[in-house]
């Protein structure tokens, strides 16, 4: 079984910063990639950023230059540093981990953490 847990969300004023953390644990051989997605009220879930095991990174255009994704492979942890936050960044942020299992592979999601950007 694989567990993915996010933390670090909260309420922040426009222009502020937050750092999200994501930890994957359980029975897997390695993590291929970790990523952050978000879903605002009434909207579809969208990609925010992903990072592979060899540190290849992909960002949504809407967050380029403001958000930074990093990863600690030894701790099976990914981080999302969010700067210059805007009200439109408000959403539930979900972390996912694509892992190699002992048999096959799987993609696992956390429960999400709420980010609210408001004055």
């Amino acid at each position: 079984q694989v567990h993915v847990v996010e933390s670090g969300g909260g309420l922040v004023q426009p222009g502020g910063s937050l750092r999200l953390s994501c930890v994957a644990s359980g029975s897997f051989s390695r993590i291929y990639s970790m990523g952050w997605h978000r879903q605002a009220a009434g909207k579809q879930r969208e990609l925010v950023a992903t990072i592979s095991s060899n540190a290849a990174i992909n960002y949504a255009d809407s967050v380029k230059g403001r958000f930074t994704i990093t990863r600690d492979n030894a701790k099976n942890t990914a981080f999302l540093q969010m700067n210059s936050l805007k009200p439109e960044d408000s959403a539930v942020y979900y972390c996912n981990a694509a892992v190699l299992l002992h048999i096959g592979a799987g993609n696992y999601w956390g429960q999400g953490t709420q980010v609210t950007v408001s004055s």
Side-chain angles (χ1 to χ4, degrees), residues 30-96:
R30 59 176 291 225
I31 300 175
Y32 291 120
S33 68
M34 299 184 78
W36 292 94
H37 294 66
R38 66 186 181 187
Q39 187 167 17
K43 296 187 177 181
Q44 289 188 329
R45 190 174 298 190
E46 62 177 2
L47 171 71
V48 176
T50 60
I51 184 167
S52 70
S53 57
N54 63 354
I57 291 173
N58 180 46
Y59 292 107
D61 288 342
S62 59
V63 306
K64 284 181 180 177
R66 300 188 298 121
F67 290 12
T68 302
I69 187 170
T70 56
R71 180 172 166 176
D72 184 336
N73 289 331
K75 296 182 179 180
N76 296 327
T77 301
F79 304 96
L80 186 68
Q81 178 66 43
M82 306 185 294
N83 298 328
S84 302
L85 282 161
K86 305 175 181 179
E88 51 263 42
D89 294 317
S90 297
V92 178
Y93 283 69
Y94 297 91
C95 177
N96 82 292

